Amino acid sequence: MTLFEKLIRRELPADIVFEDDEVFAFRDIAPQAPVHILVIPKKLITRIGEAGSGDVNILAKLLLTAAEIARELGFAENGYRLVINNGSDAGEAVPHLHVHLLAGRKLTWPPG
C-alpha cells in the first residue's frame, strides 16, 4: 500500500484541500513553493506512463480539479504550474500518480 493510499484511508493525517469519489487533493508536507498541493486519483495508477485508455476520464478529472482548486484558492489569475513526474529520474518518490499544483510565487524555467 502506498503512502497516498494510507492518506486516502485516513490512516495518516493530511491537510485535505478537496475530495470526491474519484480524486483526493492535499497540501504537500515538503512544499517546493508557497502553495504546493498534490492531486491524486483514488484509484491506484502507479504513474502516468502506466495509465491506459481506460484512464482517460480520471486523467482529465485530475487536471480539471487542479484548475478548479487554483481558481478557488485565488491564484489562478497570477498563474500556477502543474507537474507530473514519471519515474525516479524525474523525481517521482511515491509510486501513485499525482499532479503537483505549484503557485504563490514567480516560478522559473527551466524547473530542473
Side-chain angles (χ1 to χ4, degrees), residues 87-110:
S88 60
D89 281 357
E92 177 188 41
V94 178
H96 188 133
L97 173 63
H98 51 288
V99 176
H100 296 260
L101 171 56
L102 303 162
R105 67 171 166 83
K106 187 165 180 66
L107 300 168
T108 60
W109 195 263

Side-chain angles (χ1 to χ4, degrees), residues 81-96:
R81 181 174 291 161
L82 301 178
V83 176
I84 299 173
N85 298 320
N86 189 84
S88 60
D89 281 357
E92 177 188 41
V94 178
H96 188 133

Side-chain angles (χ1 to χ4, degrees), residues 44-80:
L44 176 60
I45 301 171
T46 306
R47 61 188 47 90
I48 190 68
E50 295 182 16
S53 59
D55 297 315
V56 169
N57 289 337
I58 192 63
L59 296 175
K61 185 159 186 180
L62 289 174
L63 297 178
L64 294 171
T65 298
E68 180 60 27
I69 291 168
R71 282 190 294 277
E72 288 181 7
L73 295 182
F75 53 84
E77 187 174 315
N78 287 337
Y80 57 93

